[in-house]
Amino acid sequence: MDDTMIQKYLDRIGWRGELSLCRETLDKLQTLHCNSVPYENLDILAGVPISMDADDLYDKIVERRRGGYCFELNGLYGWLLTWLGFQVGDFMARFLLDEDVIPMRRHRVLVAELDGERLLCDVGVGIEAPRKTILLEEGVIQNDGFRDYKVERDSFLGWVLWQKHDSGWKRFYSFTEEPQLPKDYIMPSFYCERHPASIFNKEQMIAVKTTDGRRTLDSEIFKIFTPQGVSTAVAGSRDEYTQMLKSYFGIIIENQ
């Protein structure tokens, strides 16, 4: 990894200007990343094994301009933040949204320590999620421009991120702070790739955030979310599907 690779990564997400070790930079990096690099599971559906190796992730996300899911996206993003000079911790999380029981750990999150503050960083969620860093301070309501968030501590779950909905506050995900190595994500990723109960190997899950909403592909239906509402489109052919992947998400499928 070198400065040229760092610059190509920054170009990939549309960063312009100087970088400084501050929260404003972290917020802007996270927003740009969420708006540029799609969340997607196409390799899983194609039977392509997911690699946690930084070189492989760099090739996929930066060189081939693909996306990935949390283990990939936050894995490479953590590498970027570390090379830029941020102090970053890597942790496992549990998705709690709409869950009736405590689920397994199958999400990867990052925490950056900066000027005495600890900031949750996450570019690996396809649904609506924080587009800026979240300060790990209990009870402080924080807004990313789209929703309100807050964090609380739980004796078992650790840090719990809450998300504000029209119906009220809902638990979004939780994480504890045992440091993880890249190899620690191989087993949960393998579960997501191969297990019969996994949601990731059933159908396409593609999403990218935009400055005014999101774009998604769910059950073969392309959707564009804006403040004015939701518009939908269904590809009428394989060629049209391939073109919509490129136009909506910047994804070019090899060998098509």
Side-chain angles (χ1 to χ4, degrees):
M1 304 296 182
D2 54 33
D3 290 343
T4 299
M5 296 175 72
I6 291 289
Q7 188 57 56
K8 289 185 72 172
Y9 195 165
L10 294 173
D11 291 343
R12 168 77 171 96
I13 64 174
W15 177 273
R16 300 291 182 269
E18 298 296 320
L19 284 157
S20 59
L21 298 181
C22 64
R23 186 176 182 182
E24 182 180 2
T25 292
L26 282 174
D27 283 343
K28 184 177 179 182
L29 284 169
Q30 182 162 322
T31 298
L32 288 172
H33 204 292
C34 290
N35 290 355
S36 303
V37 182
Y39 180 97
E40 51 113 332
N41 66 336
L42 294 176
D43 277 354
I44 294 176
L45 295 178
V48 178
I50 301 299
S51 173
M52 298 296 120
D53 181 80
D55 288 334
D56 292 338
L57 294 175
Y58 184 89
D59 176 68
K60 179 179 180 179
I61 294 169
V62 179
E63 296 289 353
R64 294 191 283 127
R65 303 184 71 83
R66 287 282 304 281
Y69 71 157
C70 67
F71 299 118
E72 301 170 279
L73 299 179
N74 281 329
L76 192 63
Y77 187 55
W79 169 84
L80 173 67
L81 295 184
T82 299
W83 270 77
L84 292 177
F86 292 98
Q87 184 177 350
V88 181
D90 215 319
F91 306 116
M92 284 293 297
R94 305 175 192 270
F95 256 99
L96 303 174
L97 187 65
D98 298 328
E99 292 282 357
D100 296 325
V101 298
I102 296 176
M104 66 182 291
R105 294 184 176 100
R106 60 167 180 80
H107 184 55
R108 183 177 194 170
V109 299
L110 306 170
V111 173
E113 296 189 23
L114 184 65
D115 298 329
E117 294 183 335
R118 305 181 68 245
L119 303 165
L120 175 63
C121 309
D122 192 344
V123 297
V125 182
I127 61 176
E128 192 59 55
R131 301 168 185 235
K132 297 179 180 179
T133 61
I134 298 295
L135 176 66
L136 293 180
E137 184 175 331
E138 287 190 89
V140 177
I141 296 176
Q142 304 165 67
N143 188 282
D144 70 342
F146 286 80
R147 287 183 186 268
D148 286 338
Y149 295 89
K150 64 181 179 179
V151 294
E152 295 181 354
R153 292 285 294 175
D154 179 87
S155 60
F156 177 78
L157 295 172
W159 287 106
V160 180
L161 177 67
W162 291 75
Q163 186 182 62
K164 185 69 175 295
H165 294 252
D166 291 341
S167 58
W169 288 98
K170 293 185 177 182
R171 296 189 306 179
F172 194 62
Y173 62 63
S174 68
F175 66 95
T176 53
E177 298 180 75
E178 298 87 5
Q180 305 293 307
L181 301 173
K183 66 179 65 177
D184 293 322
Y185 297 101
I186 294 174
M187 281 297 291
S189 183
F190 186 78
Y191 170 91
C192 293
E193 295 173 62
R194 299 292 187 88
H195 197 279
S198 169
I199 64 172
F200 297 95
N201 54 27
K202 302 297 187 298
E203 60 185 28
Q204 293 156 332
M205 300 168 64
I206 307 176
V208 69
K209 296 174 176 62
T210 64
T211 56
D212 63 350
R214 288 189 304 137
R215 298 172 184 168
T216 68
L217 170 60
D218 183 22
S219 299
E220 303 295 332
I221 301 175
F222 290 90
K223 297 180 182 179
I224 300 178
F225 296 80
T226 68
Q228 289 71 44
V230 182
S231 58
T232 63
V234 179
S237 66
R238 183 65 186 179
D239 286 344
E240 187 176 354
Y241 166 84
T242 300
Q243 184 57 47
M244 294 172 85
L245 275 184
K246 181 179 178 180
S247 299
Y248 285 13
F249 308 102
I251 295 175
I252 298 176
I253 301 299
E254 297 92 344
N255 303 319
Q256 294 291 323

